Amino acid sequence: MTKEKTVSELLGQGTAFLEAQGIALPRREAELLLCALLSCRRIDLYLEPARPIETDQEGLFQSYLTRRARREPIQYITGQVDFCGLSISVRPGVFIPRPETELIVERARTISPAPCRILDLCTGSGALAIALAKEFPHSHVVAADIDERPLETARVNAERHGCLPQLYFVRGDLFAPLQAGADRFDLIVCNPPYIPERDRPTLQPEVRDFEPAQALFAPEEGTAFYRRILRKAPSFLTQEGSLLFELGAGQAAWFQAYAAQETMFSATFLQDPAGIDRIAVCRRRGADG
């Protein structure tokens, strides 16, 4: 009869395997995969190191390790990612939320008065829309995406976090499902595709080979969605409303010049922890003082 392995043994074997495959932070990733398998906290792995692991669980853990060795994002394997303290479900075909996008929520907290109607374009997993709904419990949030798969995931996430009544999901290309002039919002947020196609070969395989291309790449050197949204936004934004974008590294100078020369918006920027101008804060000129 085969002896069951313990938590400690599996963690050690998983760490060694991932390290041999060239995975960065192999122990941390082995911990996360084992926690997903056992539905426990990372600290529990060390509180109960002698806990026996059933044979079928061991086999599933090995399949997790194999998937990760092929560079599949760990978030797709575990099915979860943390965003603004919320556990957000993700799956293949759905863009994985990044920590820097949380800056949009941080900036939204400073808006006074609190926004009542919010639009999240390119909602993906719904992480941003849900975080804003939780931040502003009296708000109404419209979450839009062109693809039904992320919208299905976003609905699941909204129900999971108890804010489904606040959210209204629409499918379509940016503003297309909305009525210009009639649908007005105090806050419009968007983390659009912004990577130039020429940068595809330089991306990590986890991103390039697994995340949905339509959520990553944009024409016109990565600027197409900014141009389209800035042109259409005045018909959907209240006079005093704010428009918040996530930017790619090095795009702020172009964005500021384009906004000043081609639109009615002025733009300021928030930096991420790496010092990159990551969030563009846009308001109508004359409405920002």
Side-chain angles (χ1 to χ4, degrees):
M1 183 174 180
T2 305
K3 180 181 179 295
E4 292 179 335
K5 289 189 171 64
T6 65
V7 164
S8 181
E9 288 172 332
L10 273 193
L11 183 57
Q13 291 175 9
T15 301
F17 176 79
L18 294 177
E19 184 174 22
Q21 299 299 314
I23 300 296
L25 305 174
R27 187 168 188 86
R28 179 180 181 277
E29 297 221 352
E31 290 172 345
L32 293 173
L33 291 173
L34 197 50
C35 285
L37 177 73
L38 301 176
S39 299
C40 70
R41 303 168 301 170
R42 288 169 68 189
I43 192 172
D44 293 331
L45 302 178
Y46 299 96
L47 293 175
E48 299 181 276
R51 173 182 172 180
I53 302 298
E54 297 177 5
T55 303
D56 59 341
Q57 289 182 310
E58 181 184 350
L60 186 55
F61 183 60
Q62 296 299 332
S63 73
Y64 287 176
L65 293 171
T66 300
R67 290 169 65 184
R68 188 66 190 102
R70 294 172 181 156
R71 295 304 193 273
E72 183 175 349
I74 194 169
Q75 296 90 342
Y76 287 160
I77 301 171
T78 65
Q80 304 292 326
V81 63
D82 183 81
F83 186 85
C84 288
L86 302 170
S87 181
I88 298 295
S89 295
V90 291
R91 58 173 174 157
V94 178
F95 179 76
I96 299 168
R98 275 29 176 208
E100 50 265 33
T101 310
E102 296 180 7
L103 289 171
I104 290 180
V105 181
E106 292 183 19
R107 177 61 179 81
R109 291 189 184 116
T110 69
I111 294 175
S112 182
C116 294
R117 287 180 53 82
I118 301 170
L119 172 62
D120 178 25
L121 296 170
C122 308
T123 194
S125 66
L128 191 52
I130 292 164
L132 290 168
K134 301 291 282 187
E135 187 68 33
F136 303 107
H138 300 294
S139 66
H140 175 76
V141 183
V142 175
D145 203 284
I146 198 170
D147 190 349
E148 184 59 32
R149 179 178 295 188
L151 285 175
E152 290 173 356
T153 302
R155 290 187 190 97
V156 169
N157 281 318
E159 185 171 15
R160 177 182 185 180
H161 290 289
C163 57
L164 191 57
Q166 278 180 264
L167 271 72
Y168 179 66
F169 298 94
V170 296
R171 182 181 179 184
D173 185 12
L174 297 180
F175 296 105
L178 305 173
Q179 186 175 350
D183 292 314
R184 295 276 184 175
F185 299 91
D186 307 303
L187 174 62
I188 299 175
V189 299
C190 187
N191 179 16
Y194 56 66
I195 301 175
E197 181 61 40
R198 59 178 165 76
D199 288 349
R200 185 189 289 259
T202 69
L203 299 178
Q204 294 178 329
E206 286 87 345
V207 177
R208 181 188 65 234
D209 299 337
F210 288 93
E211 293 198 69
Q214 70 175 7
L216 298 172
F217 303 104
E220 301 180 64
E221 292 297 292
T223 68
F225 283 84
Y226 302 127
R227 297 172 189 266
R228 292 177 61 200
I229 294 170
L230 285 169
R231 287 196 296 265
K232 293 284 189 179
S235 298
F236 295 91
L237 196 65
T238 60
Q239 189 62 36
E240 301 295 325
S242 298
L243 173 59
L244 307 182
F245 287 104
E246 181 171 324
L247 300 175
Q251 291 180 326
W254 169 86
F255 189 99
Q256 189 167 47
Y258 181 82
Q261 296 168 13
E262 304 293 336
T263 80
M264 62 177 61
F265 293 102
S266 61
T268 57
F269 303 95
L270 299 179
Q271 292 187 339
D272 65 16
I276 296 169
D277 287 326
R278 183 62 67 181
I279 305 300
V281 182
C282 303
R283 300 197 71 197
R284 297 177 195 262
R285 280 192 288 273
D288 56 4

